[in-house]
Amino acid sequence: MGERNIEWYDRPAAKRALLLLAAAAWAAISLPSAVDRALTERTPWTVGMATLGVVLAIVLVVSLWRRAAPVPTLPPAVDPARVPTADVDRAISSTASRVEAVSALRARHRGLGIAEASLLVNDRHPGAVDY
């Protein structure tokens, strides 16, 4: 009941697609004649306008493309003091090496850095080079 229906044209992906389509249409309609005029007349004005049009088309397409690409988000950092020792022991007991234990611990706690996970594993097995 509290859901709101969003029309297709109100979605961000649709807006980006429409902008990209409009940019492509503008480039397809206006640039060929501007470039042709620059090649036939060769005045500074026509060459400058054709160059400006090509540069603007490239900038517009690249900026729309970048905006359409998903931005990766990093998981929030995990404080090593908040990682339960049972998770560290489980990572150690379920793997054959320290490197695998660190990877398993980081897979379980997504925001844990390599150095912090390595310190946690080494603290549970202080003298072992590899187990």
Side-chain angles (χ1 to χ4, degrees):
M1 191 167 211
E3 265 184 51
R4 204 180 114 224
N5 287 337
I6 299 175
E7 297 294 332
W8 67 270
Y9 50 82
D10 284 333
R11 297 177 190 269
K15 288 181 180 182
R16 285 191 299 269
L18 288 174
L19 279 173
L20 190 59
L21 184 63
W26 168 77
I29 292 170
S30 66
L31 284 183
S33 63
V35 170
D36 183 50
R37 202 173 9 195
L39 292 175
T40 56
E41 293 178 20
R42 292 194 187 250
T43 64
W45 176 258
T46 58
V47 171
M49 292 307 290
T51 304
L52 181 65
V54 169
V55 168
L56 282 176
I58 291 170
V59 166
L60 184 62
V61 168
V62 168
S63 67
L64 287 173
W65 186 271
R66 283 187 176 175
R67 204 177 339 159
V71 177
T73 57
L74 296 175
V78 173
D79 183 15
R82 298 182 62 95
V83 175
T85 56
D87 288 351
V88 178
D89 291 336
R90 189 177 306 120
I92 291 170
S93 64
S94 66
T95 57
S97 70
R98 282 186 334 174
V99 174
E100 292 174 3
V102 168
S103 294
L105 189 59
R106 290 189 70 221
R108 186 161 177 88
H109 298 278
R110 300 284 302 163
L112 192 62
I114 293 175
E116 292 86 2
S118 179
L119 286 174
L120 287 171
V121 169
N122 289 339
D123 286 347
R124 298 301 288 171
H125 283 278
V129 175
D130 212 349
Y131 42 83

